[in-house]
Amino acid sequence: MYKRQVIPRGQPVGDYILEGLVRRAAEASLSLAAKGEQDRRGAFLLAIGVLSDDSSLLRNTPGLEDVFRQIESSEERKRRLSRLGIPTVFARQDWAQHFCVSAALVHLLGPGSARSLGLAKEWRDSQGDSGWSFADLAADLAGIRFAQSILSGQIPLEAVKTGFQIVDFIPPLKGYEEDIPFSRFVNAYGGLFGKRTNSTIAEIEKAIENLPAYPGSFQKPDH
């Protein structure tokens, strides 16, 4: 079973904010007595997706906008953004959004679609100013894995409520290359389906599986 570890000193304020938001979201979801267990898990994932996102991505995505506007009105969103502070992962706000939004998308669309959306976004970014980022993609994949563990019950909401820590669920992202321009991404990595791209993604997924939250923390479901 996943157990809380000691939080390292010197962690960025935004990381503490995110950890607090995730824990409180788990606590609030557990209090939904009228809901079934699976509904509570889904509500938790939607909550962290909303709480971490200050962009218009979710609210303006076709097919998803109504869901997120029902969860949080425009006025409620303004109040949240003015009061909660900026949640981060390893001091980066964008990584917090990648992790939490990807987790919410798993509940709404499934892990395959959430993964495809993450890859598609990086492909678009590679052709723009920001470039391809394996660090961003790693945050996406970590969020997807986290959501799968929540929805399957491998990690219960009670454990998240009392002990969620970023370092247990997200690998060190600064080790992955970012800002890769399109020409270099194609030439050096082979593009979206290139051999080096696939091997890097496999390394990321292995790093996620080796995080403290996962090895030995659950029994795999029968198939």
Side-chain angles (χ1 to χ4, degrees), residues 118-128 130-137 177-182 185 189 191-192 197 201:
L119 288 167
K121 182 183 183 304
E122 292 310 314
W123 179 247
R124 291 194 302 271
D125 287 349
S126 73
Q127 301 171 62
S130 60
W132 176 281
S133 171
F134 281 107
D136 289 356
L137 185 61
E177 189 172 4
E178 297 190 85
D179 306 319
I180 307 172
F182 180 74
F185 180 58
Y189 286 89
L192 185 59
T197 298
I201 291 174

Side-chain angles (χ1 to χ4, degrees), residues 150-168:
I150 293 297
L151 291 175
S152 68
Q154 292 171 347
I155 295 177
L157 289 177
E158 289 84 357
V160 177
K161 169 189 168 183
T162 58
F164 177 84
Q165 291 185 171
I166 289 169
V167 295
D168 290 343

Side-chain angles (χ1 to χ4, degrees), residues 12-187:
V13 172
D15 288 23
Y16 282 110
I17 291 173
L18 179 68
E19 289 177 346
L21 289 175
V22 171
R23 292 172 189 165
R24 288 195 292 274
E27 182 178 12
S29 299
L30 286 167
S31 71
L32 299 174
K35 299 287 186 179
E37 183 61 31
Q38 201 64 20
D39 289 335
R40 286 193 286 271
R41 295 169 184 167
F44 163 72
L45 295 175
L46 290 177
I48 65 171
V50 169
L51 289 171
S52 67
D53 190 25
D54 68 348
S55 71
S56 59
L57 175 65
L58 295 176
R59 297 173 70 84
N60 293 335
T61 300
L64 298 180
E65 69 271 29
D66 289 343
V67 174
F68 287 97
R69 290 176 189 274
Q70 289 175 11
I71 294 172
E72 182 182 55
S73 69
S74 296
E75 192 59 36
E76 289 170 335
R77 184 172 187 270
K78 289 179 182 178
R79 288 200 301 271
R80 169 173 64 84
L81 293 176
S82 68
R83 297 177 182 178
L84 286 185
I86 299 175
T88 64
V89 162
F90 305 136
R92 287 269 296 266
Q93 182 184 13
D94 58 333
W95 288 344
Q97 293 174 329
H98 276 276
F99 176 79
C100 293
V101 170
S102 293
L105 290 175
V106 170
H107 171 60
L108 291 171
L109 304 175
S113 294
R115 180 189 177 96
S116 295
L117 286 172
L119 288 167
K121 182 183 183 304
E122 292 310 314
W123 179 247
R124 291 194 302 271
D125 287 349
S126 73
Q127 301 171 62
D129 294 333
S130 60
W132 176 281
S133 171
F134 281 107
D136 289 356
L137 185 61
D140 291 333
L141 296 175
I144 291 168
R145 180 66 179 89
F146 175 64
Q148 290 176 297
S149 73
I150 293 297
L151 291 175
S152 68
Q154 292 171 347
I155 295 177
L157 289 177
E158 289 84 357
V160 177
K161 169 189 168 183
T162 58
F164 177 84
Q165 291 185 171
I166 289 169
V167 295
D168 290 343
F169 292 95
I170 307 174
L173 300 177
K174 291 183 180 179
Y176 301 114
E177 189 172 4
E178 297 190 85
D179 306 319
I180 307 172
F182 180 74
S183 59
R184 183 169 179 275
F185 180 58
V186 172
N187 293 330

